[in-house]
Amino acid sequence: MISIALDMMGGDLGSAATLEGAKIFHAAHPEVKLILVGKKEELSSEIGEIVDARDVVAMDAGPLEALKARESSMYKAVELVKANEAQGVVSCGGTGAYLSCATVRLRLIPGVKRSALITAFPTKIKGKKVVVLDAGASNENSGEEIAQFALMGSLYSKFVYGLESPKVYLLSNGGEEHKGSPEGKEAFALLKEDAKLNFCGNIEAREALSGEADVIATDGFSGNLLLKSTEGTAKLMSGMLKDAFKRNIFSMLGYLLCKKGISEMKETMSSKKVGGAMLVGVNGTVVKAHGNSDGEAFANAIEVAYKLISSNMVDKIKEGLSS
Amino acid sequence: MISIALDMMGGDLGSAATLEGAKIFHAAHPEVKLILVGKKEELSSEIGEIVDARDVVAMDAGPLEALKARESSMYKAVELVKANEAQGVVSCGGTGAYLSCATVRLRLIPGVKRSALITAFPTKIKGKKVVVLDAGASNENSGEEIAQFALMGSLYSKFVYGLESPKVYLLSNGGEEHKGSPEGKEAFALLKEDAKLNFCGNIEAREALSGEADVIATDGFSGNLLLKSTEGTAKLMSGMLKDAFKRNIFSMLGYLLCKKGISEMKETMSSKKVGGAMLVGVNGTVVKAHGNSDGEAFANAIEVAYKLISSNMVDKIKEGLSS
């Protein structure tokens, strides 16, 4: 039986949002056991088991703080995976705190140099996603670490999207081999020699969402930048679009006539739909939801964890790294 | 008299595009002397002086190659600034080649540690721009260099946009002081102590275009990433929008009804309108146009050079750095 531990307290919107998310997920997957970790008086035993936790790790808490807060919902939720009572954990708590807590308590898979956040982006090709890692678990990474991210990303793409030979790229400031950050160039040299991967070279941020790449590996600072600037630009353009439609009565009518297509576009660009990013490289399925996740976003993050557990992603990565 | 040297050969679209751009600019500013550098048989003496140059620096040429190509249009155009025959130069040639050529031949302003590409982005606030530097002149930068970019960016914002006390931020993976790349943290420590600047702390890529910041300083790799991913996302969304409007006869009618607002939005997001990025920190006005600039984009890049020369930007930066 699949069992998922949920940190119900860590997000910006508190337990009301996570509880709504858990309910949405439970309605779709009543067979999955949810373990709700948080202040018991705010939770509901109808949709899962409750584990009481009185403390909440603050959004801006550092790694040490999170590891010391043993009575927190975040720490206790991670511990459930360590104790094998759950196969995965989902939290919308602060990135630094949550990822350190998960990495230290669950430990890295043997051979993994650094864990990485892997997140999916929409592309120009309808329905096609590109996964990017590290999207912000680290602040800086060595070339060797980035090369290993490429491998883990390829395995993820293979088993989550069913691609036989995912096209793997390095994020760079130019397409040519001599371009890239110093660490990116190191990773390039390593990947070029790796026959296991379908390594296709450097890709510029401009082409990241073109649909050409299946996997883009980069250091955590750059990956985070890519993620956040995509979000920021999408937000800016959505606002402009809204203004364009609100100009006058004709443009409002115009909006009504093409509403369906516009909604689809918004849906594709919405970070809520993505739901959660996986922390790859640790012993257990660890999913990070957006800090300001509402019910829908949190439900989608639980869905991500569910899919990863069902497809034995952690074992697949273990096998892939040892072969 | 203002005189601007134009590398007519370096872009993807050849002299046809640059000639069109020069004509557009000349029509608007007949008082400005243009020096067209390139294959003389492809140029027109009606809009400016012609300097014959037989060689073209390839788009992917390295710095050394560009510096050796003394008969190239790029090298000769830069030399016109060195010889004081022009106050500024515009090229759509390869970034690496052009910027090295300009930096080596024109030299850095005394006290400048590294030159930087400064480029303007649209923001959520109508008509307001945010300038970002370094947008890709370097591959990596020290904290000290980034702190100096902040100062040069502030001077640029002050004199180009007339802001009294531009709000200066560092690009980071979080808003808090302890966030950022190692170099970003070094720059933070330096800027915090700098009373000359209105330093406001770290800003995430998600907020870069919100209109809060006037200047965002960062290393060249990250700045390039921000620039390119903004472009890529805008392109993706424009494509989606097009599809949304083309769904059926009603959505096409809808498009017609809100066409004006949509066109304005496209205009705001268009990299053609920005035209060119300035290389700050060198002795002379050096403007880099997009490699695939068409006539309109190249004309806008000449316009950028013209404005910078008119406002004595290079002298303002010299004064600002020495005070």
Side-chain angles (χ1 to χ4, degrees), chain A residues 59-60 95-96 122-124 126 138-140 171-174 176 178-182 185 204-207 209 218-226 228-238 240-241 244-245 247-248 250-251 253-255 257-258 260-262 264-265 268-269 290 292, chain B residues 59-60 95-96 122-124 126 138-140 171-174 176 178-182 185 204-207 209 218-226 228-238 240-241 244-245 247-248 250-251 253-255 257-258 260-262 264-265 268-269 290 292:
Chain A
M59 213 60 187
D60 59 351
T95 310
T123 72
K124 230 160 137 179
K126 210 173 169 172
S138 297
N139 234 6
E140 46 173 340
L171 185 62
S172 180
N173 52 348
E176 308 89 343
H178 67 272
K179 292 282 187 150
S181 64
K185 286 179 197 166
E204 281 197 90
R206 194 193 293 159
E207 299 302 323
L209 310 184
T218 186
D219 66 280
F221 189 81
S222 303
N224 188 266
L225 215 61
L226 182 68
K228 299 285 176 64
S229 70
T230 302
E231 266 184 53
T233 309
K235 217 168 110 186
L236 171 71
M237 288 185 73
S238 298
M240 285 176 169
L241 202 54
F245 288 131
R247 282 173 84 97
N248 54 42
F250 299 107
S251 61
L253 176 64
Y255 170 67
L257 291 171
C258 45
K260 202 164 168 214
I262 301 292
E264 265 188 33
M265 164 181 153
T268 307
M269 294 307 294
H290 229 290
N292 61 1
Chain B
M59 213 58 186
D60 59 351
T95 309
T123 72
K124 231 161 134 177
K126 211 175 168 168
S138 298
N139 235 4
E140 47 173 340
L171 185 62
S172 180
N173 53 349
E176 308 89 342
H178 68 273
K179 292 283 187 147
S181 64
K185 286 179 197 168
E204 281 196 89
R206 192 193 296 159
E207 299 302 323
L209 310 183
T218 188
D219 65 280
F221 188 81
S222 302
N224 188 266
L225 214 62
L226 182 68
K228 300 283 177 65
S229 70
T230 301
E231 266 183 54
T233 309
K235 215 168 111 186
L236 171 70
M237 288 186 73
S238 299
M240 285 176 169
L241 203 53
F245 289 131
R247 283 173 82 96
N248 54 41
F250 298 108
S251 61
L253 177 63
Y255 170 67
L257 291 171
C258 44
K260 203 165 169 211
I262 301 291
E264 265 188 34
M265 166 180 151
T268 308
M269 295 308 294
H290 230 291
N292 60 1

Side-chain angles (χ1 to χ4, degrees), chain A residues 286-301:
Chain A
V286 176
V287 171
K288 162 83 182 86
H290 229 290
N292 61 1
S293 292
D294 61 9
E296 185 196 350
F298 197 65
N300 284 326

Side-chain angles (χ1 to χ4, degrees), chain A residues 12-91:
Chain A
D12 292 338
L13 307 177
S15 59
T18 51
L19 194 60
E20 193 199 325
K23 280 180 183 164
I24 296 171
F25 179 84
H26 177 71
H29 302 280
E31 77 287 3
V32 176
K33 180 180 169 190
L34 296 179
I35 311 181
L36 318 180
V37 188
K39 291 180 180 161
K40 63 174 182 230
E41 65 277 17
E42 297 183 17
L43 306 175
S44 155
S45 61
E46 277 166 41
I47 52 164
E49 189 185 316
I50 291 177
V51 170
D52 192 37
R54 308 310 302 167
D55 292 348
V56 180
V57 174
M59 213 60 187
D60 59 351
L64 276 177
E65 231 172 302
L67 281 163
K68 277 192 211 151
R70 302 202 171 180
E71 291 304 314
S72 71
S73 54
M74 180 187 281
Y75 190 96
K76 283 189 159 181
V78 169
E79 284 299 303
L80 286 168
V81 179
K82 192 172 167 69
N84 278 321
E85 289 179 44
Q87 290 101 44
V89 52
V90 180
S91 173

Side-chain angles (χ1 to χ4, degrees), chain A residues 192-213:
Chain A
K192 218 172 53 169
E193 304 302 325
D194 192 337
K196 274 181 297 181
L197 280 182
N198 181 10
F199 176 57
C200 305
N202 283 329
I203 196 164
E204 281 197 90
R206 194 193 293 159
E207 299 302 323
L209 310 184
S210 70
E212 164 60 24

